[in-house]
Structures are given as structure tokens and as C-alpha cells.
Amino acid sequence: MWKLQRIKFFGSCLFIWRSKGGKKKLLPWLFLTPSLVGVIVFTGIPFLDVIKRSFQDAMGTRFMGLRNYQAVLENSAFRLATGNTVRFLAVCMPLLLLLSLGMALLISSSAEQNRLRDQGMGIFRTTLVLPMTIPAASMVLVWKIILCPEGTLNQLLAGVTGTVWETDWAFSQWAFPVLIITYLWKHAGYDMILWLAGLWGISGELYEAAKIDGAGAWARMWYITLPGLTGTFGLVGVLSIVNSFRVYREAYLLAGSYPEPSIYLIPHLFAHWFLSLDVQKMTAAAVMMVGAAVLPMAVALVIRRRSDGQ
């Protein structure tokens, strides 16, 4: 009798699950399971161990409390690297978003007017996205040829001004602007493609109705385009923040392990701590970095969900 009741219970649960579309909801998770297992095993569990070690000594035998975090915060190199990283984000992120959005609007407007649609998308998109396909080492080699003391830029300036230029741009006061320019050149095309996807997701009927009502270009931009790109802004912002932490490759290849102080970033500091096996500082700083990176991404995701809900 008990077995019969259990069979009926599980049968009713299965019927409810199928009637409410549970199979459709479960199917995507089945496809994601191998990737999720890999992320949990190779990323999630090791990071939990990092969190645990950030409160212990180097041998992992004694509880240290918050002393590891205090040592990191009091480290002058950490403060310099953190300040440079925050400064880079504050300067580069708005420039990247505005530049990529401007390029996307330019290409989208040409497509709307049925002029240069195929040619424009073919030429502009290929040209602007091409830097993303170039390996960082090859890209930096070209920039070194341009920026070194005997490079193209100094020769061009010498020809214009009539004086000799021997500036090593990667090791001068211009190192920070050089790093920003290289980052924008490499990533603006990728963000442009994301903006284009958002622009083409906005219904053209809205623009036609606005034109009929007498709305100008700026009014259509303010009341239709920008609200329609709110969700895309969250996605582009998250990916831009993630990619910004990879700028260390360009900074390292341009100036080495000990660059000009204005482009000394957190990954430089981690590399030095790794060579000295300073596990306590590395683990504590890693936890702090993840927390600092997750916060703006969480805000961007909340903004995107609210926009999708509207």
C-alpha cells in the first residue's frame, strides 16, 4: 500500500512538472551542466580556498584575522597600483563607451538611409574589429616601433617641428595616455558591434512615428535611442570592465615588469608578490579585487534587468 502511494505521488509530481513546462526549463541547464561543473571545480572551489587562506598565515596553519588585509592596505605599492587602476577605469571606460557608441551610431545612420549599407558594414566593421583579432604581442610590437626614441612618431614630430625628438613615450609622462590609446584602439570595435546589436533591436516604427510628430534628431536620440540601449549599456559596461583588467598585457609588453609609475597596475604587483611567494598578501588582495570588480558588474546587471522588465 505504501509503495502504491509513493508511485502515485511521484506520478502526480511528474505530471505537474510536465504541465508547467518544467522540461523546457530544465533542458538548458542540462546543456550547461558540463560547463558549470568545470567552473565550480576549477574556479569556484579554488577561490573558496583563496578566501580561506586570506585569513591564515603563509603555511595555512594559524588564523590571522584581518592582519593580511591590513598589510595589503598599508602597502605603498598596492596603493599606487590601485590608484592607477581606478584612474584608468575612470578615464578609459567613459571614453570607450562614447567612442564605440559614436561609431555604432555613424554606421547605423548610414544603414538607415540605405547608403553604403553593405560597403559601410563591410569596411567599417572589419577595419574597427580587426585590432581584436591581432595578438597582444604583435600589436605592442607595432606600437613600440611607433613610440620608441627612434620610432615613427618622433621622426614625424621632428619633420614637423624641425627639432630632434628622442622621447621614449612608453617610459615618459605620456605613458598613461599611450596605454589608454592602445586600449581604445584594441577594444572600441568590439564594443561597437555590441552597440549595433542594441541599435538594430529598436523598432524602426518608433523613429517613423517620432518623425511624423516632428521630433528632431536629438529628440529621437534622447527619447528613443538612449532608453532603448539601457540593457545594452549594462552588457557593454560589464564586458568593458572585465576586459579592462586585461590591459596588463599591453602595459607589461610596452614597459616590462617595472614600468613608468603612472601605468604600474595591480597585475604588476601580483607578479612581484608571486615571485617572492607572498601568499598572504596575494590571497587578501585577490579577494579585495574580486569584490571591487563584482560590485559595478552587479549594479550594471540590476540596471539591465530593470530595463528589460520595463
Side-chain angles (χ1 to χ4, degrees):
M1 185 66 180
W2 172 244
K3 291 183 178 180
L4 181 61
Q5 290 178 351
R6 284 193 298 177
I7 292 173
K8 289 182 179 179
F9 173 76
F10 286 116
S12 61
C13 291
L14 181 62
F15 175 77
I16 295 173
W17 176 67
R18 287 184 175 179
S19 63
K20 292 186 177 182
K23 187 176 181 180
K24 293 182 179 179
K25 295 180 180 179
L26 183 62
L27 187 60
W29 290 101
L30 292 177
F31 286 106
L32 289 172
T33 298
S35 298
L36 290 175
V37 171
V39 170
I40 292 172
V41 172
F42 296 105
T43 303
I45 295 177
F47 184 69
L48 292 177
D49 184 66
V50 168
I51 296 176
K52 184 189 73 171
R53 288 180 177 273
S54 68
F55 296 98
Q56 297 175 336
D57 61 357
M59 301 302 296
T61 57
R62 186 161 56 94
F63 181 72
M64 300 291 292
L66 297 177
R67 277 177 286 182
N68 293 337
Y69 292 89
Q70 182 180 359
V72 170
L73 292 174
E74 293 176 351
N75 187 278
S76 59
F78 177 78
R79 291 198 298 268
L80 174 63
T82 303
N84 289 336
T85 303
V86 172
R87 180 187 173 202
F88 177 83
L89 291 173
V91 174
C92 199
M93 289 301 100
L95 290 176
L96 177 63
L97 295 178
L98 290 175
L99 178 62
S100 58
L101 178 59
M103 294 189 300
L105 290 172
L106 179 62
I107 294 179
S108 179
S109 63
S110 298
E112 288 178 1
Q113 298 172 9
N114 293 323
R115 292 184 297 111
L116 301 176
R117 182 182 180 89
D118 297 333
Q119 296 88 341
M121 284 303 300
I123 296 173
F124 281 103
R125 184 171 60 185
T126 302
T127 304
L128 297 173
V129 179
L130 187 62
M132 283 292 298
T133 64
I134 301 176
S138 301
M139 179 198 74
V140 172
L141 180 62
V142 175
W143 282 101
K144 278 188 173 183
I145 296 174
I146 297 174
L147 301 171
C148 69
E150 299 82 15
T152 308
L153 181 58
N154 284 333
Q155 294 180 12
L156 179 62
L157 292 173
V160 173
T161 62
T163 59
V164 178
W165 286 70
E166 296 181 350
T167 304
D168 192 347
W169 297 91
F171 288 91
S172 66
Q173 60 181 349
W174 299 98
F176 187 75
V178 164
L179 185 62
I180 289 179
I181 292 172
T182 56
Y183 181 82
L184 294 177
W185 177 76
K186 187 170 179 62
H187 293 88
Y190 176 73
D191 285 0
M192 179 199 67
I193 297 298
L194 299 178
W195 286 121
L196 280 174
L199 287 171
W200 289 348
I202 301 174
S203 175
E205 298 177 355
L206 296 175
Y207 292 103
E208 294 177 1
K211 288 181 180 179
I212 294 174
D213 293 337
W218 285 108
R220 295 196 300 271
M221 168 73 70
W222 185 257
Y223 293 104
I224 298 177
T225 304
L226 293 182
L229 291 176
T230 306
T232 306
F233 173 77
L235 175 63
V236 176
V238 169
L239 293 178
S240 298
I241 292 172
V242 172
N243 288 330
S244 66
F245 285 97
R246 300 166 57 189
V247 75
Y248 167 71
R249 299 176 304 173
E250 289 80 1
Y252 175 78
L253 293 172
L254 273 173
S257 300
Y258 296 93
E260 203 273 335
S262 64
I263 60 172
Y264 185 81
L265 304 174
I266 289 180
H268 288 99
L269 181 62
F270 270 80
H272 299 154
W273 282 346
F274 180 79
L275 292 176
S276 61
L277 295 179
D278 201 339
V279 178
Q280 296 167 277
K281 290 181 180 178
M282 280 194 298
T283 54
V287 174
M288 294 168 64
M289 277 189 59
V290 171
V294 167
L295 182 60
M297 289 191 290
V299 173
L301 289 175
V302 169
I303 294 174
R304 185 184 178 190
R305 286 191 174 184
R306 287 185 178 179
S307 64
D308 292 341
Q310 293 177 353

